[in-house]
Amino acid sequence: MLLTMGVLILAGNTCYPIFLRLIVWSMQKLLPATERWDDLRHTLQFLLDHPRRCYTNLFPSQHTWWLLLSVITLNAIDWAAFEVLNIGNKAINDLPTAAEIIDGLFQALAVRSGGFYVVPITTVRISLQVLYVIMMYISVYPVVITMRNSNVYEERSLGIYADDPHLDALNEMHEKKQSFFGFVKERFLGPKGEEQTKSYFLHQQLQAQLAHDLWWLVLAVFVIMIIEGGQFERDPANFSVFNVIFETVSGYGCVGVSTGVTYDAFSFSGSWHKLSKLVLCVVMLRGRHRGLPVAIDKAVLLPSEAQYQAEEEDAQLRMERTVSRRDIV
C-alpha cells in the first residue's frame, strides 16, 4: 500500500511530466500501422518532437531524462539519510527491519510533495529534519528548471543572446578529451557547446529562483516570530525558531508536513494566532504559484506574426553561436 501511494505521489507531482511523456510515447508505439490511425500517430509524434509548443509540462526526451535523474537522486538522498541518520534512534530502530526500510522509502517519496509521513517528524534526528527542510524548499526546482530550460524563449528573456563576457569566456574553451563522465554529461546535457550554454542557463535560473524565493520566507518567518513572541516563553517545548522555519517552508512548498504539538492532534501552525495563520496562507499562495511558466512561454502564447518572427530570430542566433563555437574550437 505504501509503495502504491508513493508511486501515485510521484506521478501526480514531480514525475508527472515523466509519466505524461511515457503515456504519449507508449500510445504512439502501440497504435496499429494502418492508414486509419495515421492522423493520431502524426499528432502524437508531433507532441514527442515539439512538446513545449503544446504543453508546459511535456518536455523533450533529453530534459525528461534529466528530470528522472534528478528525482532519483533526491529521493535516494532522502532514503539513505533516513536509514543512516536514524541509526541509534530507538523510535525508529524498534521497527522491524523490513518496515523500517519501506517506511524510509515512503517518507523519502512523500516528504517533498505528498505531505504524508509514517513516522512522526519529531521522532527523527534533528539532522534529518534539517534535510527535510532543504528538500521541501527545493521540491519544485527540478520541474521548474526543466520547464524553463526547455522553453525556447527563456534564453531571450534571460539575455543569454546579449554580449556576455561569461559566455565569451566559455566560447574560448577548447574541447577536452571525452571521459566516461563526459559521455554521461553529453547524454543528459547535450553536446559540449550546448552544454556550456545550458550550464550557464542553469546557474542563472538557480540564482534567480533562490533570490526570488528566499526573501518571502525570511520576511514571513520574521513576521511570525514577532506575532508569536509570547508563545516562545509560555510554551518552549513546542515553540522554537526551527519549528517555525520548518512549518513555513512546508507551507511554501505546499507539502503539509508539520512537527505538530505535544498537547493536541493538529499541526504546529494550529497553535498560532490568527494573524500568523494568515501570513502562512499568503506564503502558501505564493509558493503554489512559483512553479508557473514565464509569461513568454511558447505553450501559453497564441500564434502571431511577432511570435514567428521571434522564433526565426532565435534560430538565427543559435546558428550563429554554433558556427562561432565551431570556428573557435
Side-chain angles (χ1 to χ4, degrees):
M1 179 62 73
L2 290 180
L3 294 180
T4 303
M5 289 182 63
V7 172
L8 292 176
I9 289 170
L10 289 177
N13 289 277
T14 314
C15 288
Y16 168 64
I18 300 173
F19 279 89
L20 182 60
R21 184 173 179 87
L22 177 62
I23 291 172
V24 174
W25 179 83
S26 301
M27 290 177 62
Q28 198 269 343
K29 294 296 182 182
L30 293 175
L31 282 177
T34 60
E35 185 177 353
R36 177 184 178 184
W37 300 98
D38 280 350
D39 289 343
L40 181 56
R41 188 183 302 105
H42 292 326
T43 301
L44 294 175
Q45 188 61 50
F46 183 85
L47 284 174
L48 294 174
D49 294 339
H50 310 284
R52 290 293 279 109
R53 291 175 176 266
C54 307
Y55 187 39
T56 56
N57 285 88
L58 186 59
F59 305 140
S61 175
Q62 181 176 295
H63 296 80
T64 306
W65 281 109
W66 183 90
L67 178 60
L68 177 62
L69 179 64
S70 64
V71 170
I72 292 174
T73 301
L74 292 176
N75 285 309
I77 292 173
D78 276 344
W79 190 12
F82 181 90
E83 305 298 340
V84 174
L85 297 180
N86 281 316
I87 294 177
N89 185 349
K90 193 173 186 303
I92 306 299
N93 297 148
D94 284 348
L95 296 171
T97 303
E100 181 181 343
I101 294 174
I102 297 299
D103 288 351
L105 175 59
F106 177 77
Q107 197 134 320
L109 298 177
V111 75
R112 290 190 303 113
S113 52
F116 301 114
Y117 48 93
V118 291
V119 179
I121 295 297
T122 53
T123 62
V124 302
R125 300 290 192 190
I126 188 64
S127 54
L128 186 60
Q129 295 180 37
V130 173
L131 178 63
Y132 284 167
V133 170
I134 297 172
M135 289 299 180
M136 288 188 296
Y137 179 69
I138 66 173
S139 60
V140 76
Y141 278 20
V143 174
V144 169
I145 297 300
T146 307
M147 180 189 299
R148 296 181 179 175
N149 194 11
S150 59
N151 178 19
V152 294
Y153 288 154
E154 191 70 20
E155 293 166 323
R156 174 184 294 267
S157 68
L158 288 178
I160 288 181
Y161 291 141
D163 292 333
D164 192 309
H166 182 70
L167 280 180
D168 292 339
L170 288 177
N171 288 334
E172 294 174 0
M173 295 176 62
H174 293 282
E175 195 171 298
K176 297 180 180 179
K177 185 177 180 180
Q178 189 182 54
S179 62
F180 171 75
F181 294 103
F183 171 78
V184 174
K185 288 174 67 177
E186 182 173 333
R187 176 67 182 85
F188 286 97
L189 297 178
K192 184 69 174 178
E194 185 180 355
E195 171 195 329
Q196 293 169 356
T197 302
K198 289 184 177 180
S199 298
Y200 173 70
F201 175 87
L202 182 62
H203 179 69
Q204 291 290 93
Q205 275 291 333
L206 287 174
Q207 276 190 334
Q209 197 74 29
L210 287 171
H212 194 253
D213 289 346
L214 201 56
W215 75 271
W216 275 92
L217 291 175
V218 172
L219 180 61
V221 170
F222 180 68
V223 172
I224 292 172
M225 290 288 190
I226 294 175
I227 299 171
E228 304 298 332
Q231 299 263 47
F232 285 85
E233 299 177 0
R234 291 192 297 269
D235 188 11
N238 290 301
F239 277 81
S240 66
V241 175
F242 177 78
N243 283 355
V244 173
I245 294 175
F246 191 98
E247 199 82 1
T248 306
V249 173
S250 177
Y252 190 72
C254 297
V255 177
V257 177
S258 176
T259 55
V261 291
T262 57
Y263 54 84
D264 213 330
F266 50 70
S267 66
F268 176 55
S269 58
S271 61
W272 295 359
H273 292 90
K274 292 181 180 179
L275 186 57
S276 296
K277 295 177 182 178
L278 183 61
V279 172
L280 186 61
C281 288
V282 173
V283 170
M284 291 167 61
L285 287 173
R286 178 64 189 88
R288 190 71 181 91
H289 291 85
R290 66 174 175 159
L292 293 177
V294 292
I296 58 173
D297 196 296
K298 171 73 177 180
V300 297
L301 287 177
L302 295 176
S304 66
E305 290 297 328
Q307 181 178 334
Y308 296 142
Q309 183 179 356
E311 287 182 356
E312 293 295 332
E313 292 175 0
D314 286 352
Q316 183 65 28
L317 288 167
R318 287 193 188 94
M319 184 180 300
E320 291 175 359
R321 284 194 171 275
T322 302
V323 172
S324 63
R325 289 194 190 97
R326 189 181 299 117
D327 293 340
I328 292 174
V329 173

